[in-house]
Every structure is written in structure tokens, then in C-alpha cells.
Amino acid sequence: MSARNDAWADGQGRVYQASGDQHITEHHHHTPDWSGPDSVRRPAVGRTPLVLRDRVGEMDRLRAAVETGVGNRVYVLHGLGGCGKTAVACTLFHYATNQAGRLGLWVNASDPASLRAGMLAVAADRGASDGELMGARSGLRPAADLVWHYLDRSDQPWLLVIDNADAPGILRDGGWLRTSPIGTVVVTTRQAAAHWWPGAELLQFGVLPREDAALVLRDLAPHAGSIEDAAEVADRLGRLPLALTLAGGFLAHQVIAPWSLADYGRRLDGSAGLDPIELIEQGATAIGGDSRHLPSRTWQLSLDALTTLGLPESGHLLRLLACWSSDPLPLSVLLGAELGPELRASRIETALRGLLDHSLTELVPGEMRCLRTHGVLLDSVARTTLTDQREQLVTTAARLCLAVLPEVPDRGTLDAHANLLAPHVIALLRRAVNWEVSQSTVEAVAECTLRLVTAIHRAGDYASALSLSNEAVEVLNSTLDEDNLLLIRLRQRVGRSLFRLGRFKESETLYQRVLEVCEETLGPDAPETLTTCLKFSSPLINLDRQQDAVSLIRRAVEGRVRLFGPTHPLTLNARVYLMEQTTQTAELTAGSTLVEDCRRDIGERHTITLGAKLNFAFALQRAGQPVEALPYARVAFEGYLQRFGADYPVALNSRLTLSRILWDLGHHTEAIEHAEQLVEGRTKVLGPSHPWTLRSEELLTQYRAARREL
């Protein structure tokens, strides 16, 4: 070849040119391409808060930790993801660097590689040579020792923030977390277990107070609405700083047709076709696209960590908790919880411990041990729950609720468990309907609701019973047919509560429709139809429609005698109703027989027996036989007083009957004393404007006027 060959080398390339054959061997030694953070002198966060709201006590303690001469301190800021731990650390960082004369160092510890790279960057910042760093990176010398060697010899006092240390094992195993007389260390983490942080001071962070949560929204979107509107939206968001920041950022960055806070709040309930979590996450662009700033992702990081630790059942337990509300849940409800092989009953304690340690739920102090999980977290988890898991989850949640709710709640004080379960049962009902589980599963949840409403009603809390039953009926109307037995019974409970609250006309209207449905679908003699007849009579009596009321009561008595016999508890109860309204001599004469039937078949202290004595006394008094009535009235009154207390509604009713009988017998002073206590009790229990309170006041006025004329 005679042509000339020209060649050029570029970069690390080599060109070898010769006239003959050559054998060339090259050995290449490459230094690893270590990439570290761009800076450790600035917080590696997306958007810092305009103003840090609340956290006053915590910030006072942290500021004191960066004052001149303070060192050898480690503070661990722990809490639920999104509760503002990093914002607190960032605020402290700026204070330390701008006002306290400290050098600020910031390291991300979300994974081992980031932690290692960040800490070695800290060593470089404090004077470590390239050779020392090379040795640490290649494993020829202990990396953590190198970092702390230079931190201990820093010529400036420092604040080191180790952010997102949600897997504290990587800090412990590498020996990265230490103390130094030259500086203060602050760690942010979701890991709350104290054994991970020996010698550190733990500061727990949660949601914001209502006023401060509203101010966060106003800081970000000052023109979107009033402070009252902001407070309402803050409540809907559970006052979680992350959710507040996302919502405020979304409102602040709208351009074409900006929403008000009230608009945003209305859309959070999903009525506009928007998924609440998707709506919240639309504000992510305002604070950066980090997945840790998305509710649908941030808590999954903790669940992934638990799975890595061998606790996948914690995720299954959290999905079960997502069936309920964010209100305190009695821990006893979880007894016997099981989701097949994914979550055995024997692993509930371990699964719960995992959730607690990773700040995914928290224990609530108080007489009854309860668990509380944030609402946005629950909605986020529910949103990502697979369709084929939903049936089992709702079925299990309903079974656990039924286990602590009595099938036939008695009158009197409400069980503490039942009182706390109200928001959870309604949340479960909504979840069942939204998840479109089977009708049988929806009915199991409806049974929970019915038991709870009945218990609340029989405890005398009629306003709460009305609210709960109304809400349940509203939710179930879209799923169950109007003639469904559980829906009928819940609507009956609405009618009873309206009656007890003195809203007689509304109660009458509702019962009229329920009776029509029962007669059309169940038949005129069906047990539920007869029950509706019996309860329908109560508002009619108070609307001065006694004849219609007595006709319905007789229908119920006759029907129950045919179905159950004359002394079945349901029949006895209907006979007690009739005794109160009877004007027939034969029925009045049979009053003592009714009382004896009750004593013999259901017991002396049964509430139906007490009702029989009271109504027989009332009938005797109205028939002009106060002497015969008095023993029955006194026994009934003392029985109610002993069993339920002086302010229980039926005890107040028995006091009214006793007062009337005493007046008829000429015991005016005692009658007035009872009337005064009646007015006081009904005012306290029913309110001053309730029709029965007003009638009691009229009776007392009549007594006093009549005595003055004597």
C-alpha cells in the first residue's frame, strides 16, 4: 500500500501506526465515576413554607440547640409522612445559618446510596482530600469514620440535617449517626420506634391546629376566600401540612377560572366527579414533582420499607383500617381480625407495630385505648386498593364491628365502644357503596349501622341517632331497594328520632310512606308492617289524632297475637301501647292481667314490665282512679330511676304521670316538686323549645295557679 493513512486520536483514544505486524496489549484502570449531591450547603427540598405555622414549642427547643457553644445533640423529628418534619428542619437550617452563625449541612438519607454520597460530600466540604475520599468510596477506609473525623475537626460549629431517614437501619449499620461537640444533628424520619434512636431527643409531629392550618391555606392563596372558608377546607384535608400545601398551591396557580376555597371544598367530596386524592395532587406542580410530595405515593414508601423488613401484613392491615374513619378506633375492634393468609390473627400485633413504628397510625391516649389514622392517608390507600381485595376487606370490617355491637341494644347508657364506632360505621357504609361490593356485604354493613343507631337512640341521644340514620338512609338509597328490610328499619329509626325530638309532623309523613311500602311489598300482616303501625301511632297521638292512632295500635296487637301469641314480648309491648290509650272499661280492667303477664314471662325489671305498670297507672288516673294508680306509678318511677337515672326520657315521663296522680290525690306539694324537676330535666335533655318541655311548663304553671286559689 502506497497511499498515506492519517489518523487522529480523541479523548482517551490511542492510534498505533506501523509498517509491519505489531501485537499491542493495553491495561486500563478506571477511577469510579462517583456522583454526589450538587450541594450540601442548601436544603435539598422543593418548596419551603412561606411561614412555618404552629410548631412554636418545638422550634424553641431546636433553636436552643444551635446556639453558641451547644453540641453533642441529636434531635429526631418523627411523624406521619406529610406532617411537615422537613419544613421544620428547613426553617431551623435557615435560622442556624443566617442568625446563629452556624454552618449548615444537608444530607438526603432516603436510600443508602444518597446517604453515603451526601455524607462523603460533607467530609469533602470539611476538608477531606481527594485521596481520602477515593479510599472511602472504594472501601479501603471506613467512610463514616472519615466523615466524623472531619466534622469533629471543623473550624466552624455546624448543624447537620439528615433528611428522610425512614430506614434507620442504614444509619445504624453504617455508623453514620454520631454526636460531636462541634455541632448538632437533626434527623427527620417516619420511624417512631425509640430503639432506633438511642441517646437522641425525639420530637413528634402531627397535624396542625385548626387556626394554623387555615393560615397555611391563606398564606398560599390569600385571595381565595375568608379565614372561615380556609378553616373548613383545612378540616376536610385533616389539617395535614402536605395536603394543605398542595391545595393552597393549586388554588394559587389557577389561571383561567380560579376557584375559591369554598369551590375547592365542595369538590373534595367527589360530587363533581373528581377523585379527592387526584384533586389534592394537582397542586404538586406548585411545590415540585418529587413523588414524596404526592399522597398516593408518599405513604407507599413506608409500606415498601415494611415489606422489605418482612412485614407485608402491615400493608394489609392498613387497607383494613382504610375501610373506617380517621376518628379514634377502639383497639378492641381489631381482636380477631384476619384476612386469610395475607393477614393471620396471630400477626395483627406485629402488623400494627409496624404501622406505629413508621408513623402510619398512632395510639390515642385516654381511658379507652384507641388508634387514629389520618383521613387523607386512608383515602389514598382506599383509592389504590385492588378490586379483588375490596369484598374481603369490607366483609371483615363489618364482622369486627358486629362483634362489638349488641344485637339487641338495651336502654340506658351507651357503651363506650358504640359511641366511638359511629363515624367508623358510616365511613364503612360509604366505602362499601363506593367500592360496589356485593349486596350481601352492603347489608352486613347496614346491619352494623342499624344496631348502632338503635343503641344511640335507646341511650336517649335522639339528635345523634337521627343524624346517623338519615346519613345511612341517604347512602343506602342508591344501592338497596326501598322495600329492603334493613332500609325499612333504618327509616323507622329516622321516624322514631323525629318523634322523640318533637318533630311530630315530619315523623308522621315519614311513617306514612314506610307503612305504604311495607303494605305493598311485605303485606298488611307482616311483622315489620305491624311494627310500623305501632310506631306510627306515637306522632299521631301528639298531633291529636287519637282515633287513628288507636286503630293502628289495635291492628298491631291483633296481628302480633296471631303471629306470636298473646304473651310474646313483641305482643306484650303492643298491649302496653294500647293500655296507655284505652278508654274501654274491659281493656282497663285487663290492665292488672297485662302487668302479671309481663312479670311472669319477661321478668319484674324488664323495661316492658315497667312500661306496663306506668301505662296502667296512667290509664287508671285518666279514668278517675288515682288511689289504684299510685302504687303502679311509684313502682314504675322508682324502677326507671334506679335503672336509667333521673334524666333519662322515659324516667321523666314516669315522673309526669306520678305528678298528675299525686295532684289528683291532693298531695300538691309533692306533685309540684315532681313537676319542677320534670321541667328542669326536660329543659336539659330535650331543650327549652321542645313541645314536651313547654307542656311541662304549662302543667307547672297550672299547679301553682291552682294552689294559690286554694
Side-chain angles (χ1 to χ4, degrees), residues 74-78 106-120 122 143-145 147-148 151 160-179 185-198 200 202 309:
V74 176
Y75 292 86
V76 175
L77 318 185
H78 67 92
W106 190 284
V107 174
N108 176 33
S110 59
D111 59 83
S114 297
L115 172 65
R116 185 180 182 85
M119 292 297 279
L120 287 175
V122 166
D145 290 349
V147 174
W148 283 98
L151 283 173
L160 172 62
V161 175
I162 303 177
D163 192 29
N164 298 326
D166 299 330
I170 64 175
L171 290 175
R172 181 191 63 186
D173 296 343
W176 293 109
L177 185 59
R178 307 181 189 181
T179 59
V185 181
V186 169
V187 180
T188 72
T189 181
R190 303 177 188 189
Q191 179 55 261
H195 67 82
W196 287 112
W197 315 111
L202 274 63
L309 292 171

Side-chain angles (χ1 to χ4, degrees), residues 55-136:
R55 318 306 193 197
V56 176
E58 293 88 348
M59 283 303 304
D60 287 344
R61 294 168 70 178
L62 292 170
R63 289 191 189 98
V66 295
E67 295 300 331
T68 303
V70 179
N72 282 321
R73 303 278 182 88
V74 176
Y75 292 86
V76 175
L77 318 185
H78 67 92
L80 172 68
C83 70
K85 305 178 294 293
T86 297
V88 171
C90 188
T91 302
L92 177 66
F93 188 96
H94 290 309
Y95 173 81
T97 55
N98 297 331
Q99 299 181 48
R102 294 236 173 185
L103 171 70
L105 301 165
W106 190 284
V107 174
N108 176 33
S110 59
D111 59 83
S114 297
L115 172 65
R116 185 180 182 85
M119 292 297 279
L120 287 175
V122 166
D125 183 275
R126 293 293 81 213
S129 67
D130 289 344
E132 289 172 315
L133 293 170
M134 179 81 68

Side-chain angles (χ1 to χ4, degrees), residues 74 365 433 676:
V74 176
V433 171
E676 290 172 341

Side-chain angles (χ1 to χ4, degrees), residues 603-614:
E604 182 74 34
R605 294 178 53 79
H606 196 284
T607 52
I608 294 178
T609 305
L610 292 176
K613 294 174 183 177
L614 179 63

